[in-house]
Amino acid sequence: MSRKIQRGLFELASRREFLATSLAATTASFVKSTIPFARFMPAGYIPVTLAAAPPDTVLADKPGLVLLNDRPLNAETPAHLLDDDITPAAHMFVRNNGIPPEDTDADNWTFKVLGESCENPRAYTVEALKRNFEHHTYQLQLECGGNGRAEFRPRASGNQWTTGAIACPEWTGVRLRDVLEACGLRENAVYVAYRGGDRHLSGDPHKDPISRGVPMSKALEDETLLAFQMNGADIPAAHGAPLRLVCGGWPASASGKWIREIIVRDRVHDGAKMNGTAYRVPCTPVAPGTQVADENMCIINSMPVKSIITSPESGIRSSRSLAVRGHAWAGDLEVTRMAVSIDFGATWQNAQLSAPANRLAWQHWQAEVRFPQPGYYEVWARATDSAGRTQPMLVPGWNPKGYLNNATHRIAVEVS
Ligand SMILES: Nc1nc2c(c(=O)[nH]1)N[C@H]1C(S)=C(S)[C@@H](COP(=O)(O)O)O[C@H]1N2
Ligand SMILES: [Mo]
């Protein structure tokens, strides 16, 4: 059996497993009203009508994305679907912590700027925001802090992201700085946080699903936007319409969707998922599996240097020469060197690396590799940032929730 077929079967099997488990909840609520004998359906049974649907249509507007959880909705993008220079909405991963708002119509949306370090708290409509402030467009990369979590051992709980929680669309909006300055920042302001219009999974209106923030220095950067457009169109509902914060290069959890409040804090924000093991890692390295005391956990800021191979797709058959390409990014920094290896990291060959469209955008790279003889190969890709740090070949720094895995991406190639 060829690897391609083997892999296909594996994917099919795991897809079935997925359908049987995580779809059960949706199925139950979906069929209750339309299938009279739903009460006799065995737990986990997949109605033939759903089972027969091609796996591609699991998310109607995101063909090919892999669903990791359906409540809350979490779906990742296979590496070969990240090939575009600018990530289209259809290929952008989705990471929800709660239940998204139902009405995301810009005409009905207001948001407030407030907080103990805000001089003149005030509310804006989306329209007023667009009218009052200058518009800026940047291509900004968003990577979930948990991207790569699936590789940590001992296993970390949470969505088992492999490589697909990264995207780099183009965002248009106003600078958060301009809005904050219009409302007046007190001298004691240290952090800017958000609250979104989504609800906690429990349904409790007093609980936020997530409410994170960034220090003043990040909030005031040119590229930190309150965005109302993605790729030249209104932001899709799943990605935070009608208004989203975009803090490129930081864990994407800092980029609040469905913005209802921007809160200027006189202390490090203490909202949902700012404490404990959420988006925090041991301040100094620990042995895998260690219990880390709260005071030894530090908030993640800039994401580490990383890269991905977007073409070809892993598992292809190739002739003796092969063109490979992908993207590389380095949080707040720039990628300065990109290299590939076909011998499991023994030797490396430089790839061609392009400059970013702007600060905090990913960079494209490409290389031509030659295989010495037929057989099984892996192509590994490795980026180095402007501070001289290079991606590790093995999973780095174990941490309780499995954040910041920036190990080299690898694809399998069968050379004939
Ligand atoms: N209001 C709100 N904002 C949010 C989230 C959320 O659940 N609610 N998820 C965060 C996390 S953890 C990530 S990784 C990104 C995901 O953005 P995307 O779904 O547009 O890809 O949004 C962030 N912003
Ligand atoms: Mo995330």
Side-chain angles (χ1 to χ4, degrees):
M1 205 188 309
S2 85
R3 261 164 221 287
K4 179 91 184 174
I5 294 170
Q6 258 177 15
R7 205 165 59 86
L9 285 177
F10 170 74
E11 273 172 12
L12 195 66
S14 50
R15 188 80 64 177
R16 286 232 174 87
E17 217 175 84
F18 149 72
L19 280 170
T21 54
S22 39
L23 258 195
T26 332
T27 306
S29 60
F30 152 75
V31 295
K32 233 174 260 159
S33 59
T34 52
I35 303 182
F37 290 130
R39 65 186 184 282
F40 298 138
M41 273 172 51
Y45 177 73
I46 307 155
V48 171
T49 173
L50 285 184
D56 273 0
T57 57
V58 168
L59 289 182
D61 53 347
K62 293 182 182 281
L65 261 69
V66 177
L67 208 56
L68 301 179
N69 190 355
D70 67 343
R71 192 176 190 279
L73 185 66
N74 283 272
E76 76 167 333
T77 314
H80 70 281
L81 292 185
L82 285 171
D83 198 39
D84 299 86
D85 287 0
I86 299 176
T87 313
H91 293 168
M92 182 162 178
F93 75 99
V94 183
R95 197 288 185 248
N96 289 345
N97 287 265
I99 307 159
E102 265 145 42
D103 183 1
T104 57
D105 190 340
D107 295 339
N108 307 330
W109 197 270
T110 55
F111 86 98
K112 292 183 205 147
V113 184
L114 70 178
E116 60 271 63
S117 295
C118 173
E119 203 69 63
N120 305 300
R122 54 178 295 185
Y124 290 92
T125 60
V126 178
E127 184 49 41
L129 191 78
K130 288 183 180 172
R131 206 173 344 103
N132 287 328
F133 301 99
E134 211 177 286
H135 298 187
H136 298 270
T137 298
Y138 297 106
Q139 205 192 329
L140 299 169
Q141 48 98 357
L142 293 185
E143 180 178 20
C144 180
N147 197 22
R149 174 177 294 142
E151 289 188 300
F152 282 99
R153 297 293 177 275
R155 235 174 85 104
S157 68
N159 290 289
Q160 296 299 299
W161 304 105
T162 62
T163 58
I166 169 74
C168 195
E170 201 177 74
W171 303 94
T172 300
V174 302
R175 286 192 172 129
L176 180 63
R177 182 179 67 216
D178 291 349
V179 179
L180 292 175
E181 280 171 1
C183 298
L185 291 173
R186 296 223 165 106
E187 246 165 49
N188 63 357
V190 298
Y191 234 75
V192 179
Y194 70 83
R195 291 183 73 213
D198 46 346
R199 284 174 302 131
H200 194 269
L201 284 179
S202 65
D204 183 342
H206 305 295
K207 270 187 175 169
D208 288 322
I210 187 168
S211 168
R212 305 204 64 244
V214 293
M216 230 53 225
S217 55
K218 184 66 181 174
L220 298 180
E221 275 184 355
D222 283 359
E223 298 84 1
T224 298
L225 299 180
L226 260 175
F228 41 79
Q229 285 196 332
M230 185 176 124
N231 298 337
D234 289 346
I235 298 177
H239 300 299
L243 210 56
R244 151 172 229 167
L245 198 56
V246 187
C247 302
W250 283 42
S253 52
S255 295
K257 304 195 278 190
W258 313 293
I259 293 299
R260 282 293 192 198
E261 289 180 8
I262 292 292
I263 317 160
V264 190
R265 304 296 320 259
D266 65 359
R267 66 203 71 183
V268 173
H269 184 52
D270 48 6
K273 308 217 169 173
M274 285 298 297
N275 296 304
T277 54
Y279 303 103
R280 303 204 308 169
V281 293
C283 304
T284 51
V286 300
T290 305
Q291 283 263 359
V292 186
D294 221 50
E295 63 271 24
N296 295 332
M297 295 289 283
C298 285
I299 298 172
I300 301 168
N301 42 44
S302 175
M303 293 292 287
V305 61
K306 197 161 171 179
S307 60
I308 191 168
I309 303 166
T310 60
S311 180
E313 185 178 353
S314 186
I316 64 139
R317 285 181 179 285
S318 170
S319 62
R320 299 278 277 277
S321 84
L322 177 68
V324 286
R325 63 169 181 263
H327 316 290
W329 58 96
D332 280 341
L333 303 178
E334 205 168 304
V335 177
T336 51
R337 183 184 170 214
M338 187 68 215
V340 293
S341 172
I342 57 163
D343 53 14
F344 304 99
T347 62
W348 295 85
Q349 130 191 7
N350 278 344
Q352 245 181 22
L353 177 68
S354 64
N358 50 254
R359 188 171 168 261
L360 311 181
W362 65 14
Q363 295 163 248
H364 315 302
W365 61 266
Q366 59 183 80
E368 191 81 28
V369 295
R370 274 203 71 79
F371 303 103
Q373 62 187 74
Y376 173 79
Y377 293 86
E378 291 185 6
V379 179
W380 294 11
R382 193 173 86 168
T384 302
D385 70 20
S386 46
R389 277 182 290 250
T390 295
Q391 285 183 258
M393 283 184 258
L394 300 173
V395 181
W398 183 92
N399 60 91
K401 279 291 281 179
Y403 296 119
L404 307 181
N405 175 7
N406 66 334
T408 49
H409 183 214
R410 306 174 286 266
I411 61 164
V413 181
E414 196 84 60
V415 177
S416 47

